């Protein structure tokens, strides 16, 4: 039995029971309960801890007001910011820096729009300065994207690895966006990346976890948090990623382009919490045959049978 109050999960603990006797048959009354608060389930990336395992973006919203309310509804603690779009005041990004309370939300500058390692390294350095302007002096996070393909938006594994090696040397906490490639994920971990971020399916496609088998392999072999990024379209897919053992998900388009972004943001929040709790609870092993949920011993036989 459990009780929830907003995001705080409480467990109920029995503190005793009473017995009464009627016709010599013992009866047990419901035991009184006392609330106990569990330790927080924190996500550690680099030197920073997060309560929320839902990361969101800042692009594609119909307005800054909708973005603000969606971020609030999602309860996220980290959002991505496209550095190049902020620098050029691209459509939808004017006023964005002032619209977010950077004292409560951690900035994740990203290198979106970079086609090679050199561009990504340069933009990452700009992102670190952007975070400082927001008051986050110790923010060395960067979401590394190297995407030369403008049609399918698939990341370049060679450019990503090259840029990651240099940025790690410069003290960045690198969160690389990659294809669901277990070998590349392990190599990026070995060079010092703080996470790996395999795509579920192409950016903005809403196709879900098309690469679930490979993502599972990455999770199984990873020594750093695995964040599923791109392709998630609905809350059930976010929950699935957490159920598989992913540490977090990054969701932008599915929220920003929903008919009701604020409601979708809240739905994603609860889905991620449910997926994480299910993962920790441990799923029922899959079987090739049915297994009855009721015991087969002590079955009442029909009268007159042996």
């Amino acid at each position: 039995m459990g009780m929830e109050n907003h995001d705080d999960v409480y467990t109920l603990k029995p503190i005793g029971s009473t017995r009464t006797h009627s016709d010599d048959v013992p009866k047990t009354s419901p035991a009184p309960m006392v609330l106990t608060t569990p330790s927080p389930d924190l996500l550690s990336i680099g030197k920073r801890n997060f309560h929320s395992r839902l990361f969101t973006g800042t692009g594609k919203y119909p307005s800054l007001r909708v973005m603000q309310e969606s971020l609030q509804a999602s309860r996220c603690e980290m959002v991505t910011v496209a550095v190049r779009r902020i620098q050029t005041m691209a459509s939808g990004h004017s006023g964005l820096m002032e619209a977010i309370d950077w004292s409560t939300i951690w900035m994740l500058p990203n290198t979106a729009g970079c086609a090679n390692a050199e561009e990504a390294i340069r933009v990452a350095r700009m992102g670190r300065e952007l975070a400082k302007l927001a008051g986050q002096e110790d923010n060395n996070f960067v979401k590394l994207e190297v995407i030369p393909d403008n049609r399918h938006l698939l990341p370049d594994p060679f450019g990503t690895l090259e840029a990651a090696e240099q940025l790690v040397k410069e003290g960045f906490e690198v969160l690389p966006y990659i294809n669901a490639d277990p070998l590349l994920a392990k190599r990026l971990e070995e060079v010092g990346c703080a996470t790996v971020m395999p795509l579920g399916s192409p950016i903005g496609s809403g196709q879900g976890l098309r690469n679930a088998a490979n993502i599972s392999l990455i999770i199984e072999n990873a020594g750093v948090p695995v964040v599923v990024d791109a392709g998630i379209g609905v809350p059930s897919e976010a929950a699935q990623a957490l159920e598989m053992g992913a540490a977090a998900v990054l969701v932008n388009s599915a929220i920003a382009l929903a008919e009701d972004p604020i409601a979708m943001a809240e739905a994603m929040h609860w889905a991620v919490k449910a997926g994480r709790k299910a993962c920790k609870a441990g799923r029922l092993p899959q079987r090739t045959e049915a297994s009855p949920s009721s015991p087969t011993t002590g079955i009442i036989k029909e009268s007159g049978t042996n």
Side-chain angles (χ1 to χ4, degrees):
M1 182 180 296
M3 178 183 296
E4 290 193 348
N5 179 10
H6 299 292
D7 292 348
D8 298 318
V9 179
Y10 301 96
T11 56
L12 296 176
K13 177 182 177 183
I15 59 174
S17 63
T18 59
R19 294 186 62 185
T20 59
H21 295 271
S22 176
D23 299 327
D24 297 325
V25 178
K27 294 182 180 180
T28 303
S29 63
M33 300 294 177
V34 63
L35 293 177
T36 60
T37 304
S39 300
D41 178 28
L42 298 178
L43 167 61
S44 297
I45 298 178
K47 298 178 181 179
R48 193 164 186 87
N49 294 324
F50 300 90
H51 291 84
S52 175
R53 293 172 181 270
L54 172 61
F55 306 151
T56 62
T58 53
K60 302 182 180 180
Y61 286 93
S63 70
L64 287 178
R65 182 193 62 78
V66 172
M67 181 202 71
Q68 290 172 317
E69 294 187 24
S70 297
L71 294 184
Q72 184 177 7
S74 74
R75 281 81 146 181
C76 70
E77 296 173 333
M78 181 158 64
V79 300
T80 63
V81 172
V83 177
R84 295 183 68 166
R85 295 185 184 124
I86 291 291
Q87 292 289 331
T88 59
M89 293 296 181
S91 176
H93 287 72
S94 178
L96 186 148
M97 290 294 293
E98 295 76 23
I100 296 175
D101 181 359
W102 298 114
S103 67
T104 61
I105 292 181
W106 193 245
M107 185 190 297
L108 178 58
N110 72 50
T111 63
C114 295
N116 55 58
E118 292 76 14
E119 289 181 7
I121 292 167
R122 184 173 67 254
V123 171
R125 293 168 182 158
M126 293 166 56
R128 182 155 58 182
E129 296 305 312
L130 187 66
K132 289 180 180 179
L133 290 174
Q136 299 179 3
E137 293 286 338
D138 58 341
N139 189 340
N140 292 315
F141 279 44
V142 62
K143 183 191 174 193
L144 177 59
E145 297 184 23
V146 181
I147 304 177
D149 171 19
N150 290 325
R151 180 181 179 188
H152 301 291
L153 300 178
L154 297 174
D156 173 8
F158 307 105
T160 300
L161 180 58
E162 179 185 346
E165 289 176 320
Q166 179 60 35
L167 291 172
V168 168
K169 291 177 183 177
E170 296 184 17
F172 282 90
E173 299 287 1
V174 181
L175 290 74
Y177 168 65
I178 61 171
N179 285 300
D181 181 342
L183 296 178
L184 176 60
K186 199 62 184 176
R187 180 65 183 134
L188 287 163
E189 178 185 336
E190 290 169 351
V191 303
C193 289
T195 72
V196 288
M197 303 180 71
L199 58 84
S201 52
I203 292 175
S205 69
Q207 295 178 19
L209 304 184
R210 290 294 184 93
N211 302 306
N214 276 13
I215 292 173
S216 291
L217 287 175
I218 292 172
I219 293 169
E220 181 181 343
N221 294 300
V224 295
V226 176
V227 181
V228 175
D229 179 17
I232 289 174
V234 289
S236 59
E237 292 162 355
Q240 180 187 356
L242 272 291
E243 289 169 5
M244 291 166 55
V249 292
L250 197 159
V251 182
N252 187 169
S253 298
I255 295 174
L257 300 180
E259 291 184 15
D260 186 340
I262 299 164
M264 184 61 77
E266 184 175 14
M268 289 290 181
H269 161 75
W270 291 116
V272 167
K273 290 183 74 69
R276 175 64 178 174
K277 186 173 283 291
C279 177
K280 294 181 69 179
R283 66 155 292 142
L284 168 73
Q286 292 181 322
R287 303 172 182 269
T288 57
E289 298 178 353
S291 176
S293 57
S294 300
T296 56
T297 58
I299 295 176
I300 300 174
K301 297 181 180 180
E302 293 182 10
S303 177
T305 61
N306 295 323

